[in-house]
Amino acid sequence: MSVARRLIKCVILDLDGTLLNTDGIVCNVLKVSLGKYGKEWDGRETLKIVGKTPLEAASAVVEDYGLPCSPIEFVSELSPQFSDQWCNIKALPGANRLIKHLKSNGVPMALASNSPRESIDAKISFHDGWKDSFSVIIGGDEVRTGKPSPDIFFEAARRLKIEPSSCLVIEDSLPGVTAGKAAEMEVVAVPSLPKQSHLFTAADEVINSLLDLQLEKWGLPPFADWVERTLPVDPWYIGGPVIKGFGRGSKVLGIPTANLSTKDYSDLLAEHPAGVYFGWAGLSGRGIFKMVMSIGWNPYFNNKEKTIEPWLLHEFTEDFYGEELKLVIVGYIRPEVNFPTLESLIAKIHEDRRVAESALELPMYSSHKDDSYLRSS
Ligand code: ADP
Ligand code: RBF
Ligand code: MG
């Protein structure tokens, strides 16, 4: 275990993209609004708008698409549409766990977001216990300049009555990380956009999702919910006919992965962080098997699309393309990473298999073997 770098006394959290999965909602609203101007939202501006104040984000879009309105007009046009969607925003994986853990361990928390205070209050009202967990909540409209200026973090520290150097900031965006470092705080980046971690060099640590946060690194009470190197997750389900993948699982790695079409599951895939998970697999007519899988872009192969790669922990004598495969995912093992050699990737996947195989014997995981979903057709 590494020694804590500094003694951290509190945690300051960003909201959109860090605790809340706001991206999908933002994209949908922009898609509809731009449509009214006869323009097509292609998502390429996402990087320009994450972490910005509403006015800055609107300015970027108005300019890029040459809209016949001012950024202020565009903001007032979008505001009611966003407000209608706040009730549909889900907490990001690990957000509730983090908030509950810090609260029950008496670690003070602040929420510091570039959104206006009113929107913050509206958004968090849909998440039980959030409002009362934060000793301080500050919106971008409550300080002179929003992130990347450090103002909002200085103000949070002042209200918490804690030195900036004893604050840990958790942020998904570049402006947020810049602001946190300018406030001389420790900053963990959890990039909300895929394949962007190389841009976050200013952060003290870059993690893939809140599930990977190691609080003990910061001298904070560690999470106590890991069990035999696995983290239980709320079970989720995915299934369909087995399709052809990249054709390299068995050939290149000696590890076959039965691919599912990601088309019908884009929302579900977007919701779950890339990483290695495990659970149970039902293959119609053949039985139920232990399963370990990766979700993501397989950095070693640098895929363009996020895929699901389930390895059924059983020796089959033949392929089963086209057959109905059902998965229940019950736990998380680690983030997806790159490896210097194919051998080290293969060794790691075999280690994942051993972790999954033994964890699935635990009652908390083995009980899901009887889930009726696995036998449904
Ligand atoms: P592809 O790239 O087409 O997915 P792979 O080399 O990854 O090819 O092999 C996956 C295929 O191998 C599966 O679709 C399935 O038909 C077969 N297969 C055999 N044994 C297994 C196993 N234990 N787990 C997953 N797939 C297996
Ligand atoms: N690919 C990676 O690039 N990085 C990983 O960390 C990684 N972990 C994996 C873990 C498991 C359990 C499995 C089954 C696969 C993993 N792979 C990973 C994916 C591997 O690259 C993939 O199976 C091949 O790309 C097959 O197409
Ligand atoms: Mg495969």
Side-chain angles (χ1 to χ4, degrees):
M1 202 69 20
S2 63
V3 177
R5 297 169 212 196
R6 275 196 205 176
L7 200 56
I8 292 298
K9 299 192 180 113
C10 66
V11 178
I12 307 180
L13 291 149
D14 170 57
L15 184 61
D16 297 310
T18 301
L19 294 176
L20 289 180
N21 193 346
T22 333
D23 291 356
I25 303 264
V26 171
C27 285
N28 287 342
V29 168
L30 284 172
K31 216 177 264 171
V32 172
S33 299
L34 286 171
K36 290 187 194 141
Y37 289 101
K39 311 271 179 180
E40 202 177 327
W41 166 255
D42 54 16
R44 96 192 115 93
E45 284 77 17
T46 330
L47 192 58
K48 286 196 197 163
I49 65 176
V50 277
K52 298 284 172 70
T53 62
L55 191 59
E56 286 168 342
S59 304
V61 176
V62 167
E63 192 186 309
D64 272 21
Y65 286 88
L67 300 185
C69 63
S70 71
I72 294 181
E73 285 165 345
F74 197 50
V75 171
S76 28
E77 191 182 316
L78 296 184
S79 292
Q81 299 178 51
F82 280 126
S83 307
D84 287 348
Q85 296 299 324
W86 295 158
C87 58
N88 296 323
I89 304 179
K90 287 193 185 166
L92 280 161
N96 272 302
R97 166 181 181 248
L98 173 63
I99 292 171
K100 278 193 199 137
H101 174 80
L102 293 175
K103 190 179 187 198
S104 63
N105 283 277
V107 179
M109 271 177 280
L111 195 56
S113 160
N114 261 355
S115 324
R117 177 59 194 272
E118 202 187 342
S119 322
I120 300 177
D121 290 341
K123 282 181 233 183
I124 65 173
S125 70
F126 297 100
H127 297 269
D128 284 345
W130 284 25
K131 188 170 193 297
D132 300 331
S133 300
F134 297 101
S135 348
V136 170
I137 299 178
I138 314 180
D141 57 340
E142 294 180 281
V143 287
R144 192 166 328 138
T145 15
K147 304 169 195 172
S149 151
D151 286 9
I152 197 162
F153 290 130
F154 281 137
E155 182 59 16
R158 195 184 65 78
R159 292 198 209 168
L160 285 163
K161 299 192 177 64
I162 293 175
E163 289 285 303
S165 61
S166 301
C167 298
L168 175 67
V169 167
I170 305 182
E171 265 289 350
D172 73 301
S173 76
L174 283 174
V177 169
T178 307
K181 288 318 294 176
E184 300 194 358
M185 297 178 174
E186 297 288 292
V187 179
V188 173
V190 198
S192 51
L193 297 177
K195 299 192 176 199
Q196 299 296 328
S197 50
H198 60 285
L199 299 175
F200 286 77
T201 46
D204 297 285
E205 188 185 13
V206 184
I207 57 176
N208 181 59
S209 82
L210 291 177
L211 301 180
D212 302 319
L213 191 60
Q214 289 179 287
L215 292 168
E216 59 277 19
K217 281 192 179 173
W218 310 97
L220 292 167
F223 286 112
D225 48 2
W226 283 85
V227 185
E228 294 187 9
R229 300 176 61 195
T230 67
L231 180 66
V233 298
D234 288 336
W236 54 281
Y237 303 85
I238 189 162
V242 174
I243 61 164
K244 288 260 175 195
F246 298 103
R248 63 178 174 230
S250 1
K251 285 192 206 81
V252 182
L253 303 168
I255 298 166
T257 54
N259 297 69
L260 291 171
S261 160
T262 51
K263 253 203 338 276
D264 310 328
Y265 288 100
S266 52
D267 288 350
L268 205 57
L269 273 191
E271 210 174 288
H272 293 281
V276 177
Y277 296 79
F278 64 95
W280 296 97
L283 199 53
S284 62
R286 293 184 192 256
I288 293 177
F289 310 97
K290 290 178 175 176
M291 177 278 301
V292 64
M293 68 181 212
S294 82
I295 306 179
W297 292 266
N298 305 328
Y300 186 83
F301 297 101
N302 194 19
N303 292 351
K304 296 281 169 293
E305 263 182 74
K306 194 174 186 180
T307 61
I308 330 170
E309 307 276 344
W311 181 23
L312 277 53
L313 304 180
H314 179 82
E315 287 285 329
F316 293 90
T317 49
E318 57 193 4
D319 287 347
F320 42 81
Y321 289 110
E323 294 181 32
E324 195 66 18
L325 175 66
K326 295 267 166 41
L327 306 175
V328 49
I329 293 95
V330 299
Y332 172 75
I333 300 178
R334 64 171 176 92
E336 169 182 73
V337 283
N338 204 345
F339 289 88
T341 60
L342 194 61
E343 290 66 39
S344 52
L345 169 64
I346 294 171
K348 190 67 182 177
I349 300 175
H350 281 279
E351 186 183 323
D352 295 331
R353 170 180 59 86
R354 289 190 295 272
V355 170
E357 261 182 339
S358 87
L360 284 163
E361 295 293 323
L362 298 166
M364 62 189 298
Y365 295 129
S366 66
S367 59
H368 293 278
K369 188 179 181 182
D370 303 320
D371 198 305
S372 57
Y373 176 78
L374 294 171
R375 294 174 199 280
S376 62
S377 49

